[in-house]
């Protein structure tokens, strides 16, 4: 009950995932990068991973950040944010809960493409709001030295939003979609179909991002 109105995520590195795969111990420490940590503990990586999975299933928290993957594949920055949008998978099932049930991949790809472009538009709307905040700070009656820290913070936020233009296209109702398709959640067949869905999201979002970059510079 101490944290409300926010998502809680666990930052995970490649070494932790390798420890899960191999069944070896994992060393936690604080500071994480410190040569002489104030706190150090050896844990069972698989046990902690199972706890994270159970809690995520039970209450949708915590999320996970695969930090080394993020560093390799994106442009993370502590001043940047990510705009999020979720697409309802159930809405693409034709003849739901019948023997003729099928998934409309063509419409799904079209909508993912449109969603990515919408999210890029939202970034420009966000920049307009940041500009309004900067204008308000400039017009506030406080002394310039008092306003300096807040002004510089919002300048940094604006710069990173414009440079990174980070968006996240996600999904919802995956379990409902599988049920409507006659596929059992967690079965080999269900997992294979979900992989195809997520692959489609990734490729179409990347394609739309490239097309938008060509158009908008």
């Amino acid at each position: 009950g101490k944290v409300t109105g926010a998502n809680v995520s666990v930052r995970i590195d490649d070494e932790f995932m390798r420890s899960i795969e191999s069944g070896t111990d994992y060393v936690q420490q604080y500071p994480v990068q410190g040569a002489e940590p104030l706190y150090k503990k050896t844990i069972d990586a698989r046990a902690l991973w199972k706890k994270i999975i159970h809690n995520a299933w039970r209450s949708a928290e915590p999320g996970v950040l695969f930090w080394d993957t993020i560093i390799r594949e994106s442009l993370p920055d502590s001043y940047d944010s990510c705009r999020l949008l979720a697409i309802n998978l159930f809405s693409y099932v034709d003849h739901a809960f019948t023997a003729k049930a099928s998934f409309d991949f063509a419409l799904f790809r079209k909508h993912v493409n449109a969603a990515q472009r919408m999210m890029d538009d939202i970034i420009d709307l966000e920049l307009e709001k940041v500009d309004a905040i900067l204008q308000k700070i400039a017009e506030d009656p406080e002394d310039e030295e008092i306003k300096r820290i807040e002004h510089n913070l919002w300048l940094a936020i604006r710069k990173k939003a414009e440079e990174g233009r980070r968006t996240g296209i996600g999904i919802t109702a995956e379990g409902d979609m599988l049920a409507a398709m006659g596929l059992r959640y967690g079965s080999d067949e269900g997992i294979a179909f979900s992989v195809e869905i997520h692959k489609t999201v990734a490729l179409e979002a990347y394609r739309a991002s490239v097309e938008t970059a060509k158009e908008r510079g």
Side-chain angles (χ1 to χ4, degrees), residues 127-142 144 147 150-151 154-155 158:
L127 289 172
E128 289 181 14
K129 295 299 183 183
V130 173
D131 286 340
I133 292 171
L134 286 167
Q135 182 65 30
K136 181 184 182 301
I137 294 171
E139 294 172 354
D140 281 346
E142 287 88 353
E144 290 301 316
K147 297 192 293 185
E150 188 176 12
H151 180 263
W154 284 102
L155 277 180
R158 193 192 193 289

Side-chain angles (χ1 to χ4, degrees), residues 1 15 97 103 145 181 189 196 207:
E15 185 181 348
F97 300 105
F103 191 88
E145 184 62 25
M181 294 282 295
E189 189 180 8
E196 194 61 32
R207 181 178 290 109

Side-chain angles (χ1 to χ4, degrees), residues 50-85:
K50 288 178 181 178
K51 185 174 183 180
I52 291 170
I53 296 298
H54 175 79
N55 286 347
W57 162 79
R58 189 170 184 267
S59 65
E61 294 286 0
V64 293
L65 294 172
F66 296 106
W67 198 252
D68 289 333
T69 303
I70 291 171
I71 296 297
R72 284 193 301 269
E73 298 186 11
S74 70
L75 302 169
D77 189 278
S78 56
Y79 290 110
D80 202 4
S81 60
C82 185
R83 302 92 202 155
L84 305 176
L85 178 150

